[in-house]
Amino acid sequence: MSKIVNGSSLQPLSGGSPKQIVLLLHGFGSSGADLIALAPHWQRALPDALFLAPNAPQRLSYLSSGYQWWPLSAFTPQALATGAASAAPAIEAFIERKLHQYELTEANLAIVGFSQGTMMALHVGLRRPRQVAAIIGYSGMLTGGHELAHLPITKPPVLLVHGSADPIVPVTALHAAKTELEHLGINVTTHISSGVGHSVDPVGLRMGGEFVANALTE
């Protein structure tokens, strides 16, 4: 199994021990250094939160600063589901280490993803043995949705945000994920950012911060 050993982080604004963890999972070809940029916008609402943005275990051979959770060599539903499943153990082990290190539980954990990281956030977050506080997915999709009805999943609140002009992952992926998740009895909030491409706009950024803060401070 590949192991997550590095990435970026932001310590609690309060200066104390973490009372919550916000796990940020980057997209294909990116790194934790990219997604940790969300954290300063959310810190004031979550002063006791530790923000962790690990690098995916697999480095891209043609991009020195880029990582992947799994190779995106095929985009069929089966290939995406298989890829997400293959990458999940590294994230699961990372979560276990960090919860144990800080003596926290899933109730203190929110998982946030972007693009391929959203696929991982949904895959891992819904399959945790105990329910996480929230899952937030930007510009991504749900993989392996067909098997969830046959698994002992948890049902944390989910926020999905997507740009209407996304040329990488079409906004139809948001609608498909919402339909599948709600069919499973999961509470899903969505926002479509008009005219936005494969990125996070200020409205989506604000909504994500509010969603995480509400889930972790209830």
Side-chain angles (χ1 to χ4, degrees), residues 97-186:
R97 291 201 308 273
K98 294 304 176 181
L99 291 180
H100 178 74
Q101 179 180 350
Y102 296 106
E103 299 181 339
L104 298 173
T105 69
E106 278 86 351
N108 312 118
L109 172 68
I111 307 178
V112 183
F114 178 82
S115 195
Q116 192 184 39
T118 290
M119 301 182 208
M120 294 313 309
L122 289 167
H123 182 98
V124 170
L126 298 175
R127 291 168 174 79
R128 292 293 298 171
R130 292 169 296 279
Q131 184 169 306
V132 302
I135 300 171
I136 297 88
Y138 290 105
S139 306
M141 63 174 62
L142 175 66
T143 64
H146 62 282
E147 69 178 20
L148 292 174
H150 309 291
L151 296 175
I153 63 169
T154 56
K155 299 178 181 181
V158 173
L159 170 66
L160 301 175
V161 179
H162 217 111
S164 67
D166 192 330
I168 307 298
V169 181
V171 70
T172 52
L174 176 147
H175 300 299
K178 182 177 189 292
T179 297
E180 288 194 76
L181 293 173
E182 287 184 337
H183 184 70
L184 294 166
I186 296 170

Side-chain angles (χ1 to χ4, degrees), residues 47-123:
D48 295 313
L50 170 65
F51 292 84
L52 297 173
N55 296 333
Q58 300 181 22
R59 186 183 289 272
L60 288 180
S61 59
Y62 56 87
L63 192 63
S64 61
S65 62
Y67 298 83
Q68 62 184 1
W69 296 104
W70 78 89
L72 285 174
S73 53
F75 292 88
T76 64
Q78 184 57 52
L80 294 174
T82 300
S86 71
I91 298 174
E92 293 281 8
F94 183 78
I95 289 173
E96 292 296 339
R97 291 201 308 273
K98 294 304 176 181
L99 291 180
H100 178 74
Q101 179 180 350
Y102 296 106
E103 299 181 339
L104 298 173
T105 69
E106 278 86 351
N108 312 118
L109 172 68
I111 307 178
V112 183
F114 178 82
S115 195
Q116 192 184 39
T118 290
M119 301 182 208
M120 294 313 309
L122 289 167
H123 182 98

